[in-house]
Amino acid sequence: SDAVPSVPIVICGSPITFFLLALAVSSGEAAPANQPLMCLIQPSKIAEVGTSVTGVIEEMRVERGGYVKKGGVIAVLRNDVERAALNVAKSKAQAEADVQAATAGLAYARQRLARGVELFNKKFISEQALDQTRTEAEVAEQKLAQAHEQRRIWQREMGLAQSQLAQRTIVSPISGIVAERYLSVGERVEDRSVARVV
């Protein structure tokens, strides 16, 4: 008939632990107040974050115990060379001079061919002269195609330069807490993790 004392219960661990606690409460025996309840939290994901390139850390964006989102920047490596290469590639990819010159050359060659055909029909020029004009127009077409192809190559080079620059920025593959920060500004990254995110 004695009232069962009210004991706050924090359940961590296996069902056996819960059963023993329930048994103690139902029998009227309170758990000792000074006995700690142990509970170990395991992360669902652990990421040792590193990079495939070698470099020196220019900037660290996270601290131990801080939160970082997936895709969030952890560190930035020195990237002066990669930025310069990207600027050069952009200048080439955005250049219009070669394409414009080839376009103008083709337009002029086609006009000459049209005049040549007209003169040939009127018997003012020989067939050989007409063939020469036609060949010049075909060469002009090839030059324009070559200019377009060169520009596509430069655009691919720009994409490569952008990818190389992006590799100098180390991002987190998951959202979580920075459990460890292994390196600091000025240290060299080479076959080492920069941080652990859990």
Side-chain angles (χ1 to χ4, degrees), residues 46-49 74 177-182 193-198:
I46 301 176
E48 294 287 344
V49 184
I74 291 178
I177 303 297
V178 180
E180 293 290 342
R181 201 186 85 166
Y182 301 118
S193 296
V194 176
R196 176 190 293 167
V197 180
V198 300

Side-chain angles (χ1 to χ4, degrees), residues 94-125:
Q94 294 171 356
E96 294 282 349
D98 291 342
V99 174
Q100 289 176 351
T103 302
L106 177 58
Y108 177 69
R110 284 175 174 170
Q111 288 177 359
R112 287 194 60 191
L113 178 59
R115 285 197 300 269
V117 170
E118 185 179 350
L119 293 174
F120 177 76
N121 291 335
K122 294 179 179 179
K123 308 297 184 185
F124 287 127
I125 62 171

Side-chain angles (χ1 to χ4, degrees), residues 14-195:
S14 65
I16 296 174
T17 305
F18 172 71
F19 174 74
L20 293 176
L21 286 172
L23 184 62
V25 171
S26 64
S27 64
E29 297 177 3
N34 60 353
Q35 181 178 356
L37 296 176
M38 303 302 293
C39 183
L40 180 62
I41 299 175
Q42 293 287 347
S44 60
K45 292 180 182 178
I46 301 176
E48 294 287 344
V49 184
T51 178
S52 59
V53 299
T54 301
V56 176
I57 295 178
E58 186 176 69
E59 185 180 355
M60 285 295 297
R61 299 278 185 88
V62 297
E63 294 293 337
R64 187 173 184 270
Y67 179 76
V68 62
K69 290 184 178 180
K70 180 179 181 180
V73 177
I74 291 178
V76 178
L77 305 181
R78 288 184 184 165
N79 53 23
D80 298 340
V81 175
E82 289 76 13
R83 276 203 308 266
L86 177 59
N87 290 335
V88 171
K90 278 183 178 178
S91 298
K92 289 181 178 179
Q94 294 171 356
E96 294 282 349
D98 291 342
V99 174
Q100 289 176 351
T103 302
L106 177 58
Y108 177 69
R110 284 175 174 170
Q111 288 177 359
R112 287 194 60 191
L113 178 59
R115 285 197 300 269
V117 170
E118 185 179 350
L119 293 174
F120 177 76
N121 291 335
K122 294 179 179 179
K123 308 297 184 185
F124 287 127
I125 62 171
S126 65
E127 186 175 355
Q128 182 180 2
L130 178 61
D131 289 341
Q132 182 178 355
T133 307
R134 185 177 289 113
T135 301
E136 290 174 354
E138 292 174 355
V139 170
E141 287 179 0
Q142 292 299 322
K143 284 184 178 180
L144 179 59
Q146 185 178 5
H148 281 299
E149 180 60 28
Q150 185 62 55
R151 189 174 182 187
R152 283 191 290 269
I153 291 172
W154 285 335
Q155 287 172 342
R156 288 193 290 269
E157 288 179 354
M158 184 180 70
L160 175 61
Q162 287 173 332
S163 299
Q164 290 173 338
L165 179 61
Q167 285 185 323
R168 313 299 288 183
T169 301
I170 303 171
V171 299
S172 176
I174 60 174
S175 295
I177 303 297
V178 180
E180 293 290 342
R181 201 186 85 166
Y182 301 118
L183 300 175
S184 299
V185 173
E187 293 190 81
R188 183 178 178 83
V189 179
E190 186 174 6
D191 298 329
R192 296 177 62 186
S193 296
V194 176

